[in-house]
Amino acid sequence: MKKNQISIVFNFFFVILAVLFSTNVSGQQKYVIDNSNHFWEKVQFGGGLGLGIGSGYTDISVMPSAIYNVNEIVAVGVGLQFGYLSSKNYYESYVYGGSLIGLVNPIPEIQLSAELEQVRIDTRYDSNINRPAFSDSYWNTALYLGAGYRTGSVTIGARYDVLYNPNKSLYGSGFMPFVRVYF
């Protein structure tokens, strides 16, 4: 009889464990695991190309960028910048670097932006009557805050470099209009 009681208790615990296990298993089966990767569906590519040619002056720039749309309001991204500037018999300059981009669309038509840009500027000045030839290389950091009107994938606006230094900046002004396109 004692053997029977142990057997009944054992069977009772076995049934309870089996019920708990099967409930746990069926509970796990209710969740559908989605192994598809939706990351690339939220990525947009864009950037800019620049070409300026004049009397003894050349300015070529390539600035690709990509953003990831976190949601309908916020996007974050990165950009690269490559440039070549030359003024005949005066200087030749190479610019390269990158940037971190943050975009906020409080309403679909308005886009606010922040961009932290770090570029290396390597310039070689030719000699002339007043000075000998020399080179200048330095890093320039810019923090652009901007706003623009957005329609579809195009944004037109203006931005300002809050770290602008007229003695070191790559550009002649801290204020800059822009056209931003992402596909």
mmCIF file of all heavy atoms in Angstrom, residues 154-173:
data_model
loop_
_atom_site.group_PDB
_atom_site.id
_atom_site.type_symbol
_atom_site.label_atom_id
_atom_site.label_comp_id
_atom_site.label_asym_id
_atom_site.label_seq_id
_atom_site.Cartn_x
_atom_site.Cartn_y
_atom_site.Cartn_z
ATOM 1 N N VAL A 154 12.365 66.110 -50.253
ATOM 2 C CA VAL A 154 13.192 67.303 -50.406
ATOM 3 C C VAL A 154 12.920 68.294 -49.278
ATOM 4 O O VAL A 154 11.767 68.562 -48.938
ATOM 5 C CB VAL A 154 12.917 67.990 -51.765
ATOM 6 C CG1 VAL A 154 13.747 69.254 -51.911
ATOM 7 C CG2 VAL A 154 13.185 67.036 -52.912
ATOM 8 N N THR A 155 14.002 68.828 -48.700
ATOM 9 C CA THR A 155 13.895 69.868 -47.676
ATOM 10 C C THR A 155 14.729 71.057 -48.116
ATOM 11 O O THR A 155 15.892 70.901 -48.494
ATOM 12 C CB THR A 155 14.397 69.367 -46.310
ATOM 13 O OG1 THR A 155 13.677 68.191 -45.948
ATOM 14 C CG2 THR A 155 14.211 70.420 -45.239
ATOM 15 N N ILE A 156 14.141 72.256 -48.052
ATOM 16 C CA ILE A 156 14.833 73.499 -48.383
ATOM 17 C C ILE A 156 14.843 74.349 -47.124
ATOM 18 O O ILE A 156 13.793 74.557 -46.510
ATOM 19 C CB ILE A 156 14.121 74.252 -49.527
ATOM 20 C CG1 ILE A 156 14.105 73.379 -50.783
ATOM 21 C CG2 ILE A 156 14.785 75.594 -49.790
ATOM 22 C CD1 ILE A 156 13.238 73.924 -51.893
ATOM 23 N N GLY A 157 16.033 74.825 -46.742
ATOM 24 C CA GLY A 157 16.100 75.602 -45.517
ATOM 25 C C GLY A 157 17.435 76.289 -45.336
ATOM 26 O O GLY A 157 18.179 76.512 -46.296
ATOM 27 N N ALA A 158 17.731 76.606 -44.084
ATOM 28 C CA ALA A 158 18.976 77.277 -43.735
ATOM 29 C C ALA A 158 19.501 76.688 -42.433
ATOM 30 O O ALA A 158 18.728 76.185 -41.609
ATOM 31 C CB ALA A 158 18.749 78.774 -43.583
ATOM 32 N N ARG A 159 20.813 76.761 -42.276
ATOM 33 C CA ARG A 159 21.444 76.279 -41.056
ATOM 34 C C ARG A 159 22.528 77.254 -40.636
ATOM 35 O O ARG A 159 23.027 78.041 -41.454
ATOM 36 C CB ARG A 159 22.004 74.871 -41.248
ATOM 37 C CG ARG A 159 23.104 74.775 -42.281
ATOM 38 C CD ARG A 159 23.511 73.344 -42.525
ATOM 39 N NE ARG A 159 24.739 73.297 -43.315
ATOM 40 C CZ ARG A 159 25.474 72.217 -43.459
ATOM 41 N NH1 ARG A 159 25.125 71.096 -42.868
ATOM 42 N NH2 ARG A 159 26.564 72.247 -44.192
ATOM 43 N N TYR A 160 22.880 77.200 -39.360
ATOM 44 C CA TYR A 160 23.893 78.097 -38.826
ATOM 45 C C TYR A 160 24.887 77.300 -37.987
ATOM 46 O O TYR A 160 24.493 76.469 -37.166
ATOM 47 C CB TYR A 160 23.253 79.194 -37.970
ATOM 48 C CG TYR A 160 24.264 80.168 -37.437
ATOM 49 C CD1 TYR A 160 24.840 81.124 -38.276
ATOM 50 C CD2 TYR A 160 24.687 80.115 -36.119
ATOM 51 C CE1 TYR A 160 25.794 82.011 -37.795
ATOM 52 C CE2 TYR A 160 25.635 80.993 -35.632
ATOM 53 C CZ TYR A 160 26.196 81.938 -36.480
ATOM 54 O OH TYR A 160 27.152 82.804 -36.019
ATOM 55 N N ASP A 161 26.172 77.553 -38.199
ATOM 56 C CA ASP A 161 27.240 76.912 -37.441
ATOM 57 C C ASP A 161 27.436 77.687 -36.137
ATOM 58 O O ASP A 161 27.985 78.784 -36.147
ATOM 59 C CB ASP A 161 28.533 76.892 -38.259
ATOM 60 C CG ASP A 161 29.704 76.260 -37.517
ATOM 61 O OD1 ASP A 161 29.502 75.731 -36.405
ATOM 62 O OD2 ASP A 161 30.818 76.280 -38.076
ATOM 63 N N VAL A 162 26.985 77.121 -35.024
ATOM 64 C CA VAL A 162 27.092 77.818 -33.743
ATOM 65 C C VAL A 162 28.529 77.842 -33.226
ATOM 66 O O VAL A 162 28.834 78.584 -32.287
ATOM 67 C CB VAL A 162 26.135 77.211 -32.682
ATOM 68 C CG1 VAL A 162 24.695 77.385 -33.101
ATOM 69 C CG2 VAL A 162 26.447 75.750 -32.428
ATOM 70 N N LEU A 163 29.437 77.072 -33.838
ATOM 71 C CA LEU A 163 30.855 77.085 -33.474
ATOM 72 C C LEU A 163 31.696 77.868 -34.481
ATOM 73 O O LEU A 163 32.925 77.762 -34.480
ATOM 74 C CB LEU A 163 31.382 75.637 -33.393
ATOM 75 C CG LEU A 163 30.668 74.695 -32.430
ATOM 76 C CD1 LEU A 163 31.259 73.292 -32.521
ATOM 77 C CD2 LEU A 163 30.738 75.225 -31.014
ATOM 78 N N TYR A 164 31.058 78.656 -35.308
ATOM 79 C CA TYR A 164 31.740 79.343 -36.407
ATOM 80 C C TYR A 164 32.881 80.221 -35.903
ATOM 81 O O TYR A 164 32.723 81.028 -34.984
ATOM 82 C CB TYR A 164 30.747 80.193 -37.194
ATOM 83 C CG TYR A 164 31.390 80.952 -38.327
ATOM 84 C CD1 TYR A 164 31.821 80.289 -39.470
ATOM 85 C CD2 TYR A 164 31.595 82.326 -38.240
ATOM 86 C CE1 TYR A 164 32.425 80.970 -40.512
ATOM 87 C CE2 TYR A 164 32.188 83.024 -39.276
ATOM 88 C CZ TYR A 164 32.609 82.337 -40.404
ATOM 89 O OH TYR A 164 33.209 83.024 -41.429
ATOM 90 N N ASN A 165 34.052 80.058 -36.530
ATOM 91 C CA ASN A 165 35.233 80.865 -36.254
ATOM 92 C C ASN A 165 35.734 81.386 -37.596
ATOM 93 O O ASN A 165 36.222 80.599 -38.413
ATOM 94 C CB ASN A 165 36.301 80.020 -35.558
ATOM 95 C CG ASN A 165 37.578 80.786 -35.281
ATOM 96 O OD1 ASN A 165 37.807 81.877 -35.799
ATOM 97 N ND2 ASN A 165 38.423 80.214 -34.447
ATOM 98 N N PRO A 166 35.643 82.680 -37.859
ATOM 99 C CA PRO A 166 36.034 83.197 -39.179
ATOM 100 C C PRO A 166 37.504 82.940 -39.528
ATOM 101 O O PRO A 166 37.860 82.917 -40.702
ATOM 102 C CB PRO A 166 35.743 84.696 -39.088
ATOM 103 C CG PRO A 166 35.585 85.000 -37.651
ATOM 104 C CD PRO A 166 35.199 83.729 -36.959
ATOM 105 N N ASN A 167 38.358 82.718 -38.546
ATOM 106 C CA ASN A 167 39.775 82.480 -38.808
ATOM 107 C C ASN A 167 40.080 81.023 -39.154
ATOM 108 O O ASN A 167 41.118 80.733 -39.721
ATOM 109 C CB ASN A 167 40.618 82.887 -37.596
ATOM 110 C CG ASN A 167 40.477 84.359 -37.304
ATOM 111 O OD1 ASN A 167 40.380 85.186 -38.204
ATOM 112 N ND2 ASN A 167 40.428 84.691 -36.024
ATOM 113 N N LYS A 168 39.210 80.090 -38.787
ATOM 114 C CA LYS A 168 39.491 78.673 -39.009
ATOM 115 C C LYS A 168 38.437 77.961 -39.845
ATOM 116 O O LYS A 168 38.679 76.875 -40.339
ATOM 117 C CB LYS A 168 39.597 77.960 -37.654
ATOM 118 C CG LYS A 168 40.861 78.255 -36.934
ATOM 119 C CD LYS A 168 41.563 76.975 -36.700
ATOM 120 C CE LYS A 168 42.942 77.233 -36.171
ATOM 121 N NZ LYS A 168 43.802 76.137 -36.400
ATOM 122 N N SER A 169 37.263 78.526 -39.974
ATOM 123 C CA SER A 169 36.173 77.823 -40.641
ATOM 124 C C SER A 169 36.461 77.572 -42.108
ATOM 125 O O SER A 169 37.145 78.347 -42.777
ATOM 126 C CB SER A 169 34.872 78.614 -40.513
ATOM 127 O OG SER A 169 33.828 77.927 -41.162
ATOM 128 N N LEU A 170 35.915 76.491 -42.580
ATOM 129 C CA LEU A 170 36.034 76.124 -43.984
ATOM 130 C C LEU A 170 35.243 77.083 -44.866
ATOM 131 O O LEU A 170 35.599 77.309 -46.014
ATOM 132 C CB LEU A 170 35.523 74.689 -44.151
ATOM 133 C CG LEU A 170 35.475 74.088 -45.534
ATOM 134 C CD1 LEU A 170 36.870 74.018 -46.128
ATOM 135 C CD2 LEU A 170 34.863 72.700 -45.471
ATOM 136 N N TYR A 171 34.174 77.653 -44.328
ATOM 137 C CA TYR A 171 33.278 78.505 -45.113
ATOM 138 C C TYR A 171 33.419 79.967 -44.708
ATOM 139 O O TYR A 171 33.864 80.290 -43.619
ATOM 140 C CB TYR A 171 31.831 78.036 -44.927
ATOM 141 C CG TYR A 171 31.664 76.569 -45.242
ATOM 142 C CD1 TYR A 171 31.487 75.641 -44.230
ATOM 143 C CD2 TYR A 171 31.732 76.100 -46.548
ATOM 144 C CE1 TYR A 171 31.354 74.288 -44.514
ATOM 145 C CE2 TYR A 171 31.610 74.755 -46.843
ATOM 146 C CZ TYR A 171 31.414 73.855 -45.814
ATOM 147 O OH TYR A 171 31.296 72.522 -46.094
ATOM 148 N N GLY A 172 32.985 80.847 -45.589
ATOM 149 C CA GLY A 172 33.109 82.278 -45.355
ATOM 150 C C GLY A 172 32.087 82.848 -44.387
ATOM 151 O O GLY A 172 32.220 83.972 -43.930
ATOM 152 N N SER A 173 31.056 82.066 -44.052
ATOM 153 C CA SER A 173 30.007 82.535 -43.157
ATOM 154 C C SER A 173 29.476 81.364 -42.338
ATOM 155 O O SER A 173 29.513 80.214 -42.787
ATOM 156 C CB SER A 173 28.860 83.153 -43.977
ATOM 157 O OG SER A 173 27.738 83.410 -43.164
#
